[in-house]
Amino acid sequence: MGRFTVTHQINCDVETFWKVFFDKAFNERLYREALGFPSFQILEQREDEREVVRRVSGTPKVNLPGPVAKLLGPNFSYTEEGKLDRQKGVWAWTMKTSVMTDKLRQEGSLRLEATGSGVRRIADLLIEAKVFGLGGLMESSAEKQLREGWDQSAVFMNRYLEE
């Protein structure tokens, strides 16, 4: 099981961050243009004064080692379900993969810290692959892909906020 944290500076205040984070047009551009997802869709999004709940599906562009790519197959996708607790200021999510659902686990949380020039976006992630002989390779490959994706999303979000 792999746990890791990614941290990025985002050039806006907390309120603006969450507004953009849940904006449909922003997410379409982020996932399709910046991250290169062949498919991305917001399946459900609802909010009230206490929380925001969102469910999305996506087919990520993946660059995986041969054995992992073969195991996951060409049609790998996922569904992500998440909830923002407005009082705590924490977005927590879980992902369900289209294949090997009982053997692959990914979840995380996202929180913000105000800085003098914006916010520090802190994401704590967990990846687990219960696959004999390939679990470690799958976890390290997923971590590499996720780190790159979070880095790209920070660059994209800062550019988007400048527009």
Side-chain angles (χ1 to χ4, degrees), residues 34-45:
L35 301 177
F37 277 41
S39 169
F40 174 80
Q41 182 179 12
I42 296 174
L43 303 172
E44 173 188 14
Q45 184 168 306

Side-chain angles (χ1 to χ4, degrees), residues 61-74:
K61 178 180 83 174
V62 292
N63 182 17
L64 300 170
V68 176
K70 185 175 180 178
L71 192 60
L72 295 179

Side-chain angles (χ1 to χ4, degrees), residues 8 70 138:
H8 298 94
K70 185 175 180 178
M138 293 176 83

Side-chain angles (χ1 to χ4, degrees), residues 98-141:
S98 59
V99 296
M100 303 181 70
T101 305
D102 59 332
K103 298 193 180 299
L104 302 175
R105 176 177 156 211
Q106 184 183 331
E107 58 189 50
S109 64
L110 171 72
R111 67 190 186 283
L112 304 174
E113 292 178 354
T115 65
S117 58
V119 295
R120 182 175 299 112
R121 181 183 74 177
I122 305 162
D124 297 307
L125 296 102
L126 176 134
I127 303 167
E128 184 175 37
K130 296 178 184 177
V131 181
F132 182 75
L134 287 177
L137 179 60
M138 293 176 83
E139 289 172 4
S140 63
S141 298

